[in-house]
Amino acid sequence: MSEPLDDWLASTFGRAPRHLAPFARALTHGSQAAANYERLEFLGDRVLGLIMAEWLYDTFPGEPEGALSKRFNSVVTGAVCADVARSLGVRDHLMLGKQARDDGANDSDNVLGDVMEALIGAWYLEAGLDAARAFVREAWGDRIRRHAAAPQHPKSALQEWAAAHRRRAPTYEVVDRSGPGHAPRFTVKVSIGRDEASATGANKQVAETAAARALLEMLGG
C-alpha cells in the first residue's frame, strides 16, 4: 500500500500543498485522463532550466559558457529527471491507464522524467521560485558536482574526433522505432564513412547519444 498522496507530498516538498489538484494532475498520464501532466511539464521544464543554469553559474564561477552548457545538458536530461523521480518515490503515485501500466510506463524514463518536471511546475505555482529552487537543489543533491571537469557530450566528442582525423561529419539515421506511444524505443545508426555503430534509447536524442558513445569506443576516441 503506497503512502497517501498528501502525506507523500508533505514529506517530498517539506509541507503539504494548499492545493492538491495540480499535483494530482502532474502525476496523471495521458492514458488515464485528458487533464494530464503535459501543461505542467511545459512549465516545469523552464523552471528547472532557470534554476539549474543559476546553480551551475554560482557553483562553477571560473568556467566559460561552453563548459557550463555541457554541465547543464548532462543534468537536465530525461534520464536524470527520471532518476530523481525514482529516488523520491514518484512511481508509487503515478496515475496510469491499465494498458500503459501493463506496458511498463511506470518505469519509463520518458514518463518519469516528464512527471518530475510537471511536479516542479506544480510546486513553483504553489510556493514560488525560491521554494522551487530549494526543492531542486535538495532533490538533485550532488549530481551537478559529480564531474570534476565539464563532461563532453558524446555527439560533440565524435564530431571533434571526425574533424581531428579529417573524416566526414557523423550522420545519424533512425533505423527502427518500436513500442507503444508512451514508451517508444528508437534505434539509431551513426556513421562516419564505413565506420558505424547503433544503439537504442527511449527517444531519438538518447539513442543518438548512445550510438555516438559506442562509435567513439570502437574508434578509440
Side-chain angles (χ1 to χ4, degrees):
M1 183 85 178
S2 62
E3 184 180 9
L5 180 58
D6 51 353
D7 291 345
W8 176 73
L9 289 170
S11 63
T12 298
F13 291 101
R15 67 167 174 82
R18 293 186 300 273
H19 307 290
L20 193 62
F23 294 88
R25 182 166 183 163
L27 291 158
T28 301
H29 186 258
S31 64
Q32 177 67 17
N36 57 59
Y37 59 64
E38 291 176 357
R39 279 176 53 84
L40 284 164
E41 178 224 337
F42 168 82
L43 176 63
D45 175 69
R46 276 71 182 173
V47 174
L48 175 61
L50 172 60
I51 291 169
M52 198 60 67
E54 175 192 64
W55 192 9
L56 291 167
Y57 184 87
D58 291 342
T59 303
F60 303 100
E63 289 193 352
E65 181 272 340
L68 292 175
S69 292
K70 291 175 183 177
R71 290 190 185 277
F72 179 90
N73 291 332
S74 74
V75 292
V76 297
T77 65
V80 171
C81 289
D83 183 58
V84 173
R86 290 186 184 96
S87 73
L88 295 173
V90 167
R91 285 179 296 183
D92 293 338
H93 299 279
L94 286 177
M95 287 173 269
L96 303 164
K98 182 180 184 303
Q99 188 60 54
R101 186 172 294 279
D102 290 346
D103 289 338
N106 65 324
D107 199 36
S108 160
D109 278 1
N110 282 353
V111 172
L112 287 171
D114 289 350
V115 168
M116 190 68 247
E117 290 179 337
L119 286 168
I120 291 169
W123 186 237
Y124 167 77
L125 291 175
E126 165 76 23
L129 183 58
D130 287 345
R133 180 187 296 113
F135 168 72
V136 167
R137 292 194 176 198
E138 175 70 21
W140 260 251
D142 69 348
R143 285 175 175 85
I144 72 162
R145 296 181 178 85
R146 288 182 181 174
H147 299 280
Q152 175 78 316
H153 194 281
K155 290 182 68 175
S156 299
L158 185 60
Q159 181 86 16
E160 292 179 8
W161 184 94
H165 290 80
R166 298 186 179 181
R167 302 283 296 275
R168 67 182 62 180
T171 59
Y172 296 85
E173 177 188 0
V174 177
V175 296
D176 186 56
R177 185 190 186 284
S178 60
H182 62 267
R185 301 294 293 172
F186 291 83
T187 299
V188 168
K189 179 177 71 176
V190 59
S191 306
I192 299 179
R194 294 182 179 179
D195 296 310
E196 61 183 46
S198 298
T200 301
N203 57 52
K204 181 181 174 183
Q205 291 72 28
V206 170
E208 287 181 351
T209 298
R213 185 181 295 111
L215 186 52
L216 271 173
E217 292 174 357
M218 184 187 305
L219 296 169

